[in-house]
Amino acid sequence: MVFMNKDAEFIKEYQRQFEKKIKENEISVLEHWKGRLDKLVSMKPEGIASLQLEMKKLSDMMGNRIKILKRD
């Protein structure tokens, strides 16, 4: 019984640490892309075409990152 209790405690602690790491990673990703979007929002584009170009660049960056992550 003592071993089962220690195993359960270990699993619970490991799961807590895993969930904490997942949350930290998600926050990091969201902060990165929010920063990119904030930069886009603060731009003073000369017209809709330049804004669309910047949005396309951001979309391409996100697409490339997704491809890289899916390869791993």
Side-chain angles (χ1 to χ4, degrees), residues 51-67:
L51 180 60
Q52 285 177 320
L53 179 62
E54 290 302 318
M55 291 172 67
K56 175 77 171 112
K57 285 181 190 177
L58 182 59
S59 178
D60 290 345
M61 287 174 58
M62 294 174 90
N64 288 338
R65 184 65 183 145
I66 290 168
K67 283 180 190 175

Side-chain angles (χ1 to χ4, degrees), residues 5-70:
N5 192 21
K6 287 190 180 217
D7 287 345
E9 288 176 21
F10 173 78
I11 291 170
K12 188 174 181 178
E13 177 61 21
Y14 188 81
Q15 183 177 12
R16 187 190 67 75
Q17 289 179 6
F18 180 76
E19 289 173 359
K20 180 181 176 186
K21 185 66 176 169
I22 292 290
K23 185 176 180 179
E24 289 171 355
N25 287 344
E26 185 175 4
I27 289 169
S28 176
V29 167
L30 290 171
E31 286 174 339
H32 172 79
W33 292 114
K34 183 182 181 313
R36 298 294 305 191
L37 285 172
D38 289 347
K39 182 178 175 185
L40 186 64
V41 167
S42 69
M43 287 179 54
K44 303 289 186 222
E46 294 177 11
I48 191 81
S50 61
L51 180 60
Q52 285 177 320
L53 179 62
E54 290 302 318
M55 291 172 67
K56 175 77 171 112
K57 285 181 190 177
L58 182 59
S59 178
D60 290 345
M61 287 174 58
M62 294 174 90
N64 288 338
R65 184 65 183 145
I66 290 168
K67 283 180 190 175
I68 289 169
L69 291 172
K70 284 186 175 181

Side-chain angles (χ1 to χ4, degrees), residues 1-7:
M1 281 304 214
V2 174
F3 290 115
M4 292 177 75
N5 192 21
K6 287 190 180 217
D7 287 345

